[in-house]
Amino acid sequence: MNAFIAIACCWKITSTTASFVPPSTNVIISSRRPRAVPRQRQRSSCTERTTRLNSDPGRLVLDELSRMTIAELKSQLRRMDLSVGGRKQELIERLHEHFSNDAQLHTHVDEDCGGNALEELESLTVPLLRERLKVIGLPVSGRKQELIERLRTHYHGNSKFSDDSTIDQSIECSNLNASNTSIDDSAILCARGDEVFDGSIEQDLVAISDKYQSHENSMSRKARRKKYFKTQEVKELIRANDPRAPAKAEEMIASLEQMAKDENNDEYLPGARQYTVLIEAYAKYQTRGAEEVIERIMMSNIDFSTAMMNAVMGAYASMGTVEGAKQATTILERMEYIRDFGGGAIKPTVYSYSLAISAWAKCHSFDSATCAENILTRLLESYEKVLTNGNQSNYAEELKPNSVVFNRVIDAWASSGSPVAGEKAENIVSKMEGYSRMDHFDVRPDTITFNTCIKAWCNSNHPNAPQKAEEILCKLETHPQYPRKKGVLIVRPNLLSYNTVINAWAKSSDPESPIRAQSLLTRMLKNYKTNAFSTVKPDVVTFSSVLNALAKSKAQNKATKCLKILEMMIDLHDEDGSCDTTPNVICYNTVLNACAFSALGDDNEKKQALEVAVKVFNMLNREKYVNPDAVSYGNMLKCCANLMPPGNARTSMASTIFSTCCDAGMVGGMVLDEIRRSIPSKDFLLLLARCGYEKPLKQHKNAMSVELRQLPKQWTANVKVGDMSSRQRGVFVKHGRQTQNERSQVRSNPPVIRRPGFLIEPSWASGKDV
C-alpha cells in the first residue's frame, strides 16, 4: 500500500443503519506514527480539517507534503516506484500529481468494483490479512485461505454494505488502521460535500486516530529529541574528563534558547536536566563558574529537582573547602525539610548524603570527619523512619544505605590524621558487619572497606599503627564472608592491602620494622608462587617500600640485604616479564643510599657495602629499562666519601664518576656537594679544567665558591629542576628581588659551607632514600 493514500470516505447516517456512499474527498495519511493525543483535541482537529478539506482538498495535500522532510518524501516515492531525483519542490509536485490521479480513480470506484475486493484479498500477504482481521475484531489464527474466507464472510454478512461494490470501500477504510507505516500526524480526514458527522461516526474516526499524534505533538517530540542529543554530547565530554565540557554546556544552553526563539516554541527551552548537566560540567573544572550557574538558576523560573540539587551539592563538594562542605550540608538540610514538611517534591537520596559526606572528607580534619559521621547517622535515622511508615517503598529503595556511604565516612577519618582515626574506622567496620546480617540493608564490608581502615591506622600517627594495620591484613587473609542477596561475598586482600601495611612499617621508627616489612614481602612471594589461584603479586612499589625500610634502619649488613631484595625483583621480572615488576631508578638509588650509610659498621662491612655499591651502579648503567639520574651519581659519590679513606684511590674513583656525570649532563646540586667532599680543593679545580671548565682555575677561585649555575649548560642539561636546587646546601639558592644593601650584605657574608671530610649524615638529610 502506498505511504500516502487518497481515499474519499463519506458516511450517511440513518436511524438504524449506516450506508456507505461513494467517496468524494481525500484522506491524507503520513508514514510517521506519532504519539496519541487527547480524544477531545482529536475530535476538534478532525472537524476543523474536514471544513478545510471541503473548501480546498488539493491545497491540503500540498500542506501535508510540505511538512515532510526530503528523506520521507524519497521514501514514499520509492514505495510508489516513482523517481526520487530532484529538489524538494519537485518531489512534492511528483507526489501531489500521483495523489490527484489516485483521487480521480477513486471517484469512479463504484463503477467497476464488483469483484475487485475479493481479488485484492487474494493478493494480500498473511500479515496484512491478519492486520485487517485484528482491526475488525476477528480471530487472526489459521492459514491464508481461512483468513480470506473469514474476511469475505464478514463483509458479505455486514448489514452496513448493500452490495459487492462497497466491499472495496470497507477494505480501503480498514487499511487506515492496518497500515502502521502510512499514517500522518494530520490524522484522518473524512467528509462528503457539506454534510456534517453525527456523534457515532465521529467516535469511529477518533478511535482510528487514537494511535497517532497531531502535528504540534510531533514538533514537541522533535524538541525533546534535540535536547536529548545535545545533553548527551555534553555528558560524554564530562565522562571523558574533557576540559571543554563547561564551554560546550554553555553552548548547548545558548543554542536551545535560540532554537526556541526561532521556532517560536517554548519546548526547546533548556530545562532542569540541561541545567543539571551544566552544573556538573562546571563542578568538575570551574567551581566558581558552577556558583554563577547556581545563581542564574535561582533567578530563573526553573523548578528544582533532586538531580539538580545533587549537582549543586557536587559543585560545592568539589571545592574541597570547609565553606563548600557547609554549603552542601545546608542544601541537604533543605532537601530534608522539603521532604518532611514541603509535600515531598524534592527528596534526598542516598547519593545526596554521599555527596555531603564526600565534601567533609576532603577537608582533612578531625571536625570534618565528625561531621561526615553525623551525616551518616542522619541517613540511618531517616531510612529507619521511612521503613517504619511502610507506604514509601519506592523512596526507601532510593534512600537505602550502601557500602559506598560507609566507605566514604571511613575515608574521612583516614584523611583526618587524627590519633583516634583508626579506632573510629574500626567501629564503622563493625557496624557494617552488623548491618550485613539485616535483610533491609545493602551494607557489607568489602576489600575497599578494609583497605581504607588500614589507611586510617597508617595516617593516625599512632605508636601501634603498623601492628594494628597488620592485624586487619591478617583478618583479610582469612577471607571473611558476608551474606548478600545472591550467595555470599568473600573478601580477599589485594595488592594495595599489602603495600599499605609495608609502607606503614617503612615509616615506623620501630627497630623491627625492616624485618616485619621483609617478612610480608616473603609471604606475598610464597603465596604467589605456591597458590595457583593467587592474583596478588608484589610490584615495584612493594619492593621499593621494603628497600626503603632497610635503608633507613640501623641493621647490620643492610647493603647486602638490599642487594638480595633487588635481585629478587629482577628475577621475578625475568620470569613473567610484567611491567609492574620492572625495577626503576628509585630502587637502585635506595640500594646505593643503603650502601652510603653503612659507614658506622666495621671495616669489613664498609668493604662489602662499597662492593655492593659498585656492583649496583654497574648494573644500573647496563640496565636497558632505566638509566642513572643525578641522584644516582650523587649517591655513588657519597659512597666514595663515606666508605673510602682519603687518598689517591678515592680521588681517582670520584673523578671518574664525576667525568661520566658531566658527559651525561647529570651534574646536580647533590653531585656538586659530594664531589667536593670526596676530593681535595686543588684537585677539584683541576678536575673542572680537565672536564672543560677552566674559568675557576684561571681566576684562582676557591672550590667552595663555584656555584651550580656557573657550570656549563651541557653539564646540567638532563637534570630535573628539583635535583638541581633542593639538593644544594647553601650553594645555589634562588632569591627574590633584593635591594642593593641586601646584595652587598650577601657578598660580604658568604654562606657557611661545610668543609669536605668524612661525614656521616642520616638518610633523611639526603632526601633521596626513595
Side-chain angles (χ1 to χ4, degrees), residues 289-346:
E291 293 179 355
E292 295 177 0
V293 173
I294 295 169
E295 293 178 0
R296 283 162 50 187
I297 295 174
M298 294 290 187
M299 300 298 293
S300 64
N301 296 325
I302 299 173
D303 295 331
F304 275 87
S305 63
T306 300
M308 185 179 294
M309 299 294 279
N310 288 342
V312 175
M313 291 178 63
Y316 283 119
S318 64
M319 296 173 63
T321 60
V322 176
E323 184 63 29
K326 289 180 179 179
Q327 292 287 352
T329 306
T330 302
I331 294 174
L332 178 63
E333 292 172 352
R334 291 178 181 176
M335 294 174 72
E336 290 176 334
Y337 182 85
I338 296 173
R339 176 194 61 193
D340 297 336
F341 306 104
I346 298 177

Side-chain angles (χ1 to χ4, degrees), residues 136-198:
I136 59 181
L138 295 178
V140 296
S141 61
R143 299 179 179 275
K144 181 176 181 179
Q145 195 61 35
E146 297 175 2
L147 304 181
I148 295 173
E149 188 64 30
R150 200 172 296 149
L151 283 170
R152 183 183 301 161
T153 303
H154 170 75
Y155 292 139
H156 281 287
N158 198 335
S159 61
K160 289 184 180 181
F161 307 107
S162 57
D163 52 26
D164 291 342
S165 64
T166 61
I167 296 179
D168 276 347
Q169 304 301 329
S170 64
I171 292 175
E172 293 292 347
C173 288
S174 68
N175 283 343
L176 299 181
N177 281 342
S179 179
N180 287 338
T181 61
S182 61
I183 306 298
D184 190 8
D185 51 6
S186 60
I188 298 178
L189 308 178
C190 297
R192 188 200 66 174
D194 296 328
E195 289 189 1
V196 181
F197 298 148
D198 72 349

Side-chain angles (χ1 to χ4, degrees), residues 434-451:
Y435 288 130
S436 65
R437 304 182 187 94
M438 301 181 183
D439 295 335
H440 56 279
F441 277 91
D442 189 20
V443 176
R444 59 194 60 85
D446 53 10
T447 304
I448 298 176
T449 306
F450 286 101
N451 287 349

